[in-house]
Amino acid sequence: MEKFINRYNKVVRTIELTKRQERILEIVKENGPITGEHIADELNLTRATLRPDLAILTMSGFLDARPRVGYFYTGKSSAQLLTENLQKIYVKDYQSIPVVVNENISVYDAICTMFLEDVGTLFVVDQNTILVGVLSRKDLLRASIGKQELSTIPVNIIMTRMPNITMCEREDLLIDIAKKLIEKQIDALPVVRKSEKGYEVIGRITKTNITKAFVALGDE
């Protein structure tokens, strides 16, 4: 089993190899570049039997292969391979549809929208559909405490306003956005596109989106 130590000194499992795959890696490390036929001879197996193992090790990044040369060890640990894969996942690959409300709706209507849409964050826009604020569960809960009539309070009174909104764009790395969510202790970010009037909301990235990305990476 390939493991690495993260910065919190915890052992993290990344890729689990079979004993035969581990033996193949040892052979290639010691003798590479080496052909598939020679690897098979070392293990007293047929080339066809080894083909799935070699494919897995090559696709995983442990080995590389060149025509008429053979297989050679890349020298990369599973931690390095994981890092390389994380550097290839972008916001655009996992962003979801944003739930947007107008800045003039009431807190009561915002609560209803959040409940019906089953989301934890609402993005507030003006009459030109430009981002002007963000509403979280905490904002709405805070407004609900007390004796105020929620149907008479507009959300623009309680929302987080520009320029205090953390945003992201489609081409941002998902790992960087995950760091922002942790740093800011928030549940979601609006995915925006810059226009002449301001920032248009074109998507959202949530903790759930990021979890799906990491699960997909693990399954691959």
Side-chain angles (χ1 to χ4, degrees), residues 7 40 53 81-82 101 103 111 117 119 146 148 163 176 204 213:
R7 65 190 183 97
D53 294 312
L81 296 172
L82 178 61
V101 297
E103 63 180 334
I111 292 173
E117 297 291 342
V119 294
Q148 303 178 85
D176 292 335
R204 63 173 172 151

Side-chain angles (χ1 to χ4, degrees), residues 32-122:
I34 181 173
T35 64
E37 288 76 9
H38 287 149
I39 297 173
D41 290 341
E42 288 281 338
L43 295 172
N44 294 319
L45 297 171
T46 65
R47 176 73 171 83
T49 301
L50 285 187
R51 189 171 291 116
D53 294 312
L54 292 171
I56 289 171
L57 292 172
T58 303
M59 288 187 293
S60 299
F62 289 106
L63 298 181
D64 202 351
R66 293 178 184 171
R68 296 185 297 276
V69 175
Y71 294 91
F72 59 93
Y73 184 60
T74 62
K76 296 175 181 178
S77 68
S78 55
Q80 291 172 311
L81 296 172
L82 178 61
T83 299
E84 288 183 0
N85 285 329
L86 288 175
Q87 296 296 326
K88 299 175 184 177
I89 305 176
Y90 295 90
V91 165
K92 63 184 179 182
D93 300 322
Y94 283 94
Q95 72 180 59
S96 53
I97 298 173
V99 179
V100 177
V101 297
N102 186 273
E103 63 180 334
N104 294 319
I105 73 165
S106 69
V107 171
Y108 176 83
D109 288 336
I111 292 173
C112 293
T113 300
M114 184 173 285
F115 177 77
L116 292 173
E117 297 291 342
D118 193 23
V119 294
T121 305
L122 300 175

